[in-house]
Amino acid sequence: MTTPSRALYLFGSAAPPVFDIVKVIEDAQSRGFDVCLGLTPTAARWLEPQLGELARLTGHPVRSEYKMPGEPDVWPKADVIAFAPVTFNTINSWALGLTHDFVVGVVAEGIGRHIPVIAMPCVNSAYVQHRQFERSIAELRAMGVQLLYGEGGFVPNQPGQGRPKEFPWRLVLDAAVAATRT
């Protein structure tokens, strides 16, 4: 008897590490996850040429918009949600409860549904100087979101000096595995 896969909702915002999402999906699948990919509208636009390939790879439609009322859910129920990279705008929208984007709505609701949520921002050091960013990080942590930010997670770089190939995706997936063990 085989154990069914755990459903991982893998969400991404429009930051350069999102271009490595194929490798992340493959890594998550090798760890036993059934991956459902959700993107902010801008990230979906960035990855538009790959959306068909990404749907084939995951076996699920890639979502970036809310479904119409009455339409059935096309994804299995989430066991864990991993949101990375998460931009400055998305972190602040999420913390403030502004759910204009599908993925922000799902993670906001996921908190109330007690679904483990792991997030890793991808912002530069200029953005983190804005006072709202630290408030948003604190607010999300207070709601139970596991934010991989700072020591042991993503550390902001200087503007224009990003290293998207060094984005610590492994930490996100390690946290998702750990969250589904409990």
Side-chain angles (χ1 to χ4, degrees):
M1 180 177 192
T2 60
T3 304
S5 293
R6 299 158 293 168
L8 167 67
Y9 287 11
L10 178 62
F11 292 167
S13 297
V18 81
F19 287 111
D20 290 326
I21 205 73
V22 168
K23 288 185 258 178
V24 179
I25 292 167
E26 291 170 342
D27 188 5
Q29 290 171 331
S30 75
R31 295 171 185 238
F33 285 111
D34 178 14
V35 180
C36 300
L37 180 62
L39 301 166
T40 62
T42 302
R45 193 171 63 245
W46 285 11
L47 296 176
E48 189 169 356
Q50 294 176 264
L51 294 180
E53 173 192 344
L54 292 166
R56 282 187 295 283
L57 179 62
T58 63
H60 302 285
V62 177
R63 296 200 47 203
S64 61
E65 296 180 9
Y66 286 102
K67 67 181 183 69
M68 294 297 293
E71 287 183 349
D73 287 332
V74 294
W75 287 355
K77 182 178 178 269
D79 292 299
V80 62
I81 302 170
F83 200 165
V86 189
T87 61
F88 174 82
N89 182 58
T90 302
I91 285 283
N92 289 321
S93 293
W94 180 12
L96 293 169
L98 305 175
T99 60
H100 52 277
D101 289 344
F102 163 73
V103 293
V104 177
V106 173
V107 292
E109 186 176 22
I111 292 167
R113 288 181 173 228
H114 307 288
I115 299 168
V117 180
I118 296 110
M120 186 180 300
C122 183
V123 294
N124 68 42
S125 60
Y127 278 121
V128 302
Q129 299 305 308
H130 193 289
R131 292 180 0 191
Q132 185 57 48
F133 185 76
E134 286 301 327
R135 288 185 202 125
S136 294
I137 292 290
E139 186 65 25
L140 291 170
R141 283 183 171 150
M143 287 187 266
V145 175
Q146 183 180 354
L147 270 151
L148 305 173
Y149 172 70
E151 188 175 329
F154 180 80
V155 177
N157 47 270
Q158 293 298 313
Q161 295 179 7
R163 297 174 302 280
K165 295 294 182 193
E166 295 175 24
F167 190 73
W169 283 108
R170 175 188 51 78
L171 298 176
V172 175
L173 295 179
D174 289 350
V177 168
T180 57
R181 283 193 191 131
T182 58

